[in-house]
Amino acid sequence: MWQKAKKIKKIVILISILIVVTSGSYFIYKFKTNQNIYKDNTKVMDTISQVLNLSTVKYSYSNVVTVKKDKSINDIKIPFTEKSFIIKYNGVINGGVKPEDINISKNTGDKIFIEIERCEILDHYIDDDNIYVYDVKSSIFNKLEIQDVLEDISKYKKEYEEKALKEGLMDEIKNSTKSSIKNMLKNMGYKEIVITFK
């Protein structure tokens, strides 16, 4: 009877040890797996790339342009070729950061250091559905074409990009990008996040 009880006690101890070892192995595996996820720069960059789309800064504007044109030969105006018109349109400038301009310089799993090479204007487009042309005056020798309107609008694109930058578009891009990336990395478990712009 005593030997039977001793045998049962040994089995119980063995089972307990087995449970402890198995549980310990599982938690060590889970911990290592999580650490690997945090230390995997590719996975971090994939997540950052998704965040960059959300942190794009939009600068919207409206513009009114008065255009006067005529045809000329050797800087001599040809009579009856004058035309003029007024264009009103809306534009949108998108600013942000491209994934290829981001570099993870150090990643320990708890701490991460990120360098951003540059912020830039990613896209600048005109709302084609809201282009209005007023007060059109053209001659039979120089009629107004849609191409004239589009060419004149494109001339002002650079001007508005410079205006947006002067009004702080670049600072907005930096703040938006930094805030979005930091929040995402905190959710991944990083305790210290350092983001620098070159």
Side-chain angles (χ1 to χ4, degrees), residues 23-43:
S23 300
S25 300
Y26 173 77
F27 285 115
I28 289 167
Y29 169 78
K30 284 296 284 181
F31 176 76
K32 282 186 175 178
T33 303
N34 286 339
Q35 286 295 96
N36 287 338
I37 287 170
Y38 294 146
K39 287 181 181 179
D40 188 341
N41 286 351
T42 306
K43 286 184 179 177

Side-chain angles (χ1 to χ4, degrees), residues 40-72:
D40 188 341
N41 286 351
T42 306
K43 286 184 179 177
V44 174
M45 277 308 305
D46 285 345
T47 312
I48 287 175
S49 297
Q50 292 168 19
V51 168
L52 291 181
N53 292 329
L54 300 174
S55 62
T56 300
V57 176
K58 291 184 185 295
Y59 177 96
S60 301
Y61 67 91
S62 293
N63 194 20
V64 177
V65 181
T66 301
V67 181
K68 290 184 179 179
K69 292 181 177 183
D70 52 48
K71 289 188 176 181
S72 59

Side-chain angles (χ1 to χ4, degrees), residues 14 21 85 140:
L14 281 170
V21 170
F85 50 94
I140 55 169

Side-chain angles (χ1 to χ4, degrees), residues 38-41 44-45 48 103-115 181-182 184-186 188-196:
Y38 294 146
K39 287 181 181 179
D40 188 341
N41 286 351
V44 174
M45 277 308 305
I48 287 175
N103 177 48
I104 298 171
S105 56
K106 189 179 178 184
N107 183 4
T108 66
D110 286 325
K111 298 177 184 178
I112 188 164
F113 295 82
I114 292 174
E115 294 174 351
I181 292 174
K182 269 197 168 184
M184 180 273 294
L185 291 171
K186 278 179 186 174
M188 287 180 75
Y190 286 96
K191 292 178 177 63
E192 187 179 338
I193 302 155
V194 179
I195 299 172
T196 55

